[in-house]
Amino acid sequence: MPILIDGHNLIGRLPTLSLHDPDDEEKLIQVLQVYRTRNRKAMTVVFDPGEGYALPTSRRQGGVEVVYAPHGSSADAVIVQRVQRSHHPRDWVVVTSDRLLAERVTRLGARVQSAEAFAAELDSLHSAAPAWKDRPLSPAEVEKWLALFGSQERSDDLDSAG
């Protein structure tokens, strides 16, 4: 079941992201890439057009399709258009908490998941990440790795011997 995400709407619901951050879109894409590696669902995130400069309208990044609405349009319009053009709109899940957008895509046959509920899913994935990913190695752990693989000086000695 493909997921179609109202990008800025979701960013506003994630406690770790801010719409005021100039890198908010890229940070969301990184979060979605992690989600996609775990669930393998087709995923498209749609953003409103940028201001003052032209962005590519579509690209793939880490299995996530990233779409920018063209100038003079909106992410909502692109999402509605995609659902309308689909041969199987019931297969789509649209992630948004925009009430009007939710009503429009529901009438077209798509399912809607609130941005808050999807944000909670993303947050639970982050919480379930192994603790070792969030902390540096202790000095004792570094010593164990050095004992196992040798120190840099030893590998330098091996390189010069060849």
Side-chain angles (χ1 to χ4, degrees):
M1 188 171 322
I3 301 171
L4 193 53
I5 300 167
D6 183 353
H8 290 121
N9 190 265
L10 179 58
I11 289 170
R13 305 312 190 276
L14 288 164
T16 57
L17 298 181
S18 168
L19 290 166
H20 301 292
D21 182 345
D23 296 323
D24 60 348
E25 294 167 357
E26 288 304 315
K27 289 177 181 177
L28 176 61
I29 293 165
Q30 290 173 0
V31 170
L32 294 175
Q33 287 172 334
V34 172
Y35 180 84
R36 174 142 186 339
T37 60
R38 298 204 179 164
N39 72 24
R40 310 303 287 166
K41 293 181 183 177
M43 183 176 299
T44 301
V45 59
V46 184
F47 295 109
D48 290 311
E51 294 179 18
Y53 54 92
L55 295 169
T57 57
S58 180
R59 67 176 195 232
R60 286 200 92 55
Q61 190 169 329
V64 176
E65 182 183 14
V66 180
V67 176
Y68 292 91
H71 284 282
S73 186
S74 68
D76 293 5
V78 170
I79 291 168
V80 168
Q81 186 178 53
R82 289 224 172 178
V83 173
Q84 281 175 328
R85 289 183 178 172
S86 171
H87 294 296
H88 305 285
R90 285 174 174 46
D91 292 345
W92 286 91
V93 173
V94 176
V95 174
T96 188
S97 289
D98 178 321
R99 187 178 47 82
L100 293 175
L101 175 59
E103 288 173 5
R104 289 177 71 190
V105 296
T106 300
R107 280 195 305 265
L108 293 169
R111 291 184 245 178
V112 174
Q113 181 177 12
S114 73
E116 291 84 1
F118 194 75
E121 275 186 54
L122 294 174
D123 191 47
S124 70
L125 278 178
H126 180 71
S127 328
W132 58 266
K133 285 191 172 186
D134 293 333
R135 65 171 179 77
L137 294 174
S138 70
E141 289 168 321
V142 170
E143 287 302 316
K144 285 181 185 177
W145 281 106
L146 287 175
L148 184 61
F149 292 106
S151 70
Q152 179 62 38
E153 293 151 0
R154 184 165 180 240
S155 67
D156 288 343
D157 292 341
L158 293 174
D159 289 340
S160 62

